[in-house]
Amino acid sequence: MAPGRRRGASEKKKGKRMSASKVEWFPIPGKEELNLPLSQGAAHGDLVIMTQVPQQEDGTMNLGSIEEQTRQTLANLKTELEKVGSGMDRVLSITVYLTDLDEFPAMTRVWGEFYPGRGPGRTTVGVAALTPSGLRVEMTAFAIRGA
């Protein structure tokens, strides 16, 4: 590389090139065969973006209290990040979508079960509704994986 030239977005360490179109998509668990036009997340290199809702192992949504939904969502996030070579300790930031901002303290208490010390950055956004009806929380995490 020429002196003073910065490495471009299409170049990785050691001079290897990475195509901007090389995105790895992660299907929604239990719905892989449905060929849905969306994914639960994606990765490009070591950057992972993962969205989770309180979906239970049987594919149904946990539409219980905000505590139950938050716990299920964070547990799902942990499981799915680990499947792709990341983990809760590698999360940089999480955006939390809540349908009722009055439930923020309860969500934060459950958050503390997963992040008892210093955790990742967090942005909480109040939204009018989530799908399906009764869903109170959704989260999108930005994490890293690899060495």
Side-chain angles (χ1 to χ4, degrees), residues 1 9 18 41 56 74 110 122 129:
M1 183 180 309
M18 176 181 280
Q56 301 172 106
L74 286 166
V110 175
R122 182 177 77 189

Side-chain angles (χ1 to χ4, degrees), residues 101-113:
L101 288 176
D102 288 340
E103 295 182 325
F104 178 83
M107 181 275 297
T108 296
R109 281 191 296 279
V110 175
W111 176 278
E113 296 171 15

Side-chain angles (χ1 to χ4, degrees), residues 26-29 31 40-41 48 50-63 68-84 86-88 91 94 110 114-115 135 137-141:
F26 307 126
I28 298 169
K31 301 187 188 241
Q40 70 171 342
V48 176
M50 183 76 66
T51 297
Q52 289 296 311
V53 293
Q55 180 177 316
Q56 301 172 106
E57 285 187 34
D58 65 4
T60 62
M61 289 293 172
N62 177 339
L63 300 178
E68 292 169 329
Q69 288 193 31
T70 300
R71 193 170 289 111
Q72 181 77 58
T73 301
L74 286 166
N76 292 350
L77 192 58
K78 179 181 186 301
T79 297
E80 297 305 317
L81 285 170
E82 289 171 356
K83 283 182 185 178
V84 300
S86 187
M88 297 297 272
V91 173
I94 297 179
V110 175
F114 291 81
Y115 291 107
L135 193 64
V137 64
E138 183 170 323
M139 297 183 189
T140 298

